[in-house]
Each structure stands twice: as structure tokens, then as C-alpha cells.
Amino acid sequence: MGPAVLIDTAGVVLLWSLPEVLSSHAQDLMWGALSPINAMLSHSISEPTVNSTWHIAHRNFDGADMQGCLNFSPVWFQQGRNASTAFPEVSATLKARNPDQDGRDWLEQMMVQSAVLSAAMAIMHPNLYAAGREAVIHLYQDLAVPRSDDPAFAEMVEMLRLWPSVFTAASVMVNRSTPFHRDHNSRVQWYDLLASIGTYVGTW
């Protein structure tokens, strides 16, 4: 299957599909960047007897040597917090107080590839790219920097300086099956960006 665009009856682009747009070398670099977070990935999967969200449910992983699901963000709303009143924080996977600092190693190794993916978004959806870039700049200049006397915001300043993407969060999903689902908090013009790497069969 070659490159394709899915368009609805109103002419709105719903999906871009660009198979093999990432070179083998780029994919190798992205796969290699997983090595530091291998232990974090394995610890992210729930126990078989636990009734957890499907993102980390044991049944959705195939038992490969490397598997799991982690979220990384410089501005993450903690679960259970009211997003309208609470401030975001650096995700636990990137916090300095986390005894496992391998998440920061992953971020460093993904700098170039994350920037390349953002550049692809600039071509596919220039308005969304511009909005994401502006949001990251405002989070840095208007939220984090003015409050940088607070250690939590000082850490946010550090992570936003390093963050290479116009998306404010990245999910790393390794050897996981994803059931059909719908994101009810999204809109048709808000794209997610999925980079699928490696070799696999029986999926689409």
C-alpha cells in the first residue's frame, strides 16, 4: 500500500498514511532509543488479575522481550486533577525525583526523530503545527518561567527547553494490541501523529 489520504464527503482530510516515510536508519534510531526505558516499559503493564485501563492491560501485550506503554510530557495534568483549576506538571517519567532517570535518556536520544515528526506535521497540517508550537511557547513563557522560583515550575522550564515536539505529550507503545476505540475528547481537525516502526504481521 502506497501513500494515501482519507477524505470525508465534505472534503475534510481525516487521515494521512505515509508508509515507509521513515527510513530504516531513522527507525533503527527510534528502536534503539527504547533500550534505556526497557525496564520502565515492563513495569508499566498491569498484572493479569488487575482490571486496568486497556492502555496497560496485560491482555493487550503479546509477551515480547520488550513491551509496555509509557507517557512523556513536560506539561502533564495529573490523573484525578481538575484541569480547569490545577496546573500541569512534568510527567512522572521525566521528573528529576524519579529514581529511574532513563526517561530523560529516551528524550535525549529522540531529539532529532521527534523534530522530524513535527516537521512532517508542519506539511500535513500547517495550522495544527502552528497552534502546537504557539502553545508550547506560551506554556514556557507565560506559565513556567514566571513561576520558576517554584521547583516544580523550574523543572517544567527545563523540560520545555528540551522538548522537541509541537505535541505536548508522547506515548510510547511497544508490542501492544490496540482495541478499536474512540477518543471522545477530540475533534476531527485535531490530528494525532503515529509513527509505527519495526516489522510485524497481522496488523493494520
Side-chain angles (χ1 to χ4, degrees):
M1 179 179 176
V5 176
L6 179 64
I7 301 174
D8 69 8
T9 56
V12 176
V13 177
L14 303 177
L15 171 75
W16 289 67
S17 177
L18 303 172
E20 300 183 10
V21 70
L22 292 173
S23 68
S24 297
H25 177 63
Q27 293 189 45
D28 288 344
L29 291 175
M30 294 172 75
W31 184 259
L34 298 176
S35 294
I37 59 172
N38 193 2
M40 294 174 67
L41 284 165
S42 62
H43 293 151
S44 70
I45 304 173
S46 65
E47 294 296 326
T49 56
V50 175
N51 185 22
S52 61
T53 172
W54 63 263
H55 300 84
I56 56 172
H58 190 275
R59 65 181 180 276
N60 290 328
F61 294 90
D62 62 5
D65 291 339
M66 184 183 294
Q67 58 181 12
C69 178
L70 294 170
N71 297 310
F72 298 88
S73 175
V75 282
W76 186 260
F77 279 105
Q78 304 301 312
Q79 189 173 13
R81 303 280 183 88
N82 186 337
S84 64
T85 57
F87 286 117
E89 301 177 18
V90 174
S91 64
T93 49
L94 293 174
K95 282 185 180 293
R97 69 168 183 258
N98 188 336
D100 191 340
Q101 290 294 292
D102 292 333
R104 294 192 174 202
D105 291 340
W106 170 84
L107 179 63
E108 182 177 352
Q109 292 189 37
M110 281 293 295
M111 286 291 182
V112 173
Q113 305 311 320
S114 294
V116 168
L117 294 174
S118 282
M121 179 57 66
I123 297 171
M124 292 184 288
H125 198 327
N127 291 340
L128 185 61
Y129 172 87
R133 182 177 181 275
E134 183 178 0
V136 172
I137 291 172
H138 278 298
L139 285 165
Y140 176 78
Q141 293 181 344
D142 301 334
L143 176 65
V145 170
R147 298 173 175 83
S148 57
D149 289 342
D150 183 317
F153 285 100
E155 186 170 42
M156 189 184 298
V157 168
E158 177 190 4
M159 287 295 100
L160 282 168
R161 283 175 177 166
L162 295 173
W163 193 251
S165 174
V166 293
F167 290 92
T168 55
S171 294
V172 178
M173 299 161 282
V174 183
N175 289 316
R176 188 194 72 187
S177 299
T178 301
F180 286 110
H181 64 283
R182 177 178 294 177
D183 185 352
H184 294 283
N185 295 317
S186 187
R187 295 186 180 181
V188 67
Q189 64 268 38
W190 295 350
Y191 288 4
D192 286 329
L193 186 60
L194 175 64
S196 182
I197 65 172
T199 302
Y200 44 86
V201 295
T203 60
W204 53 288

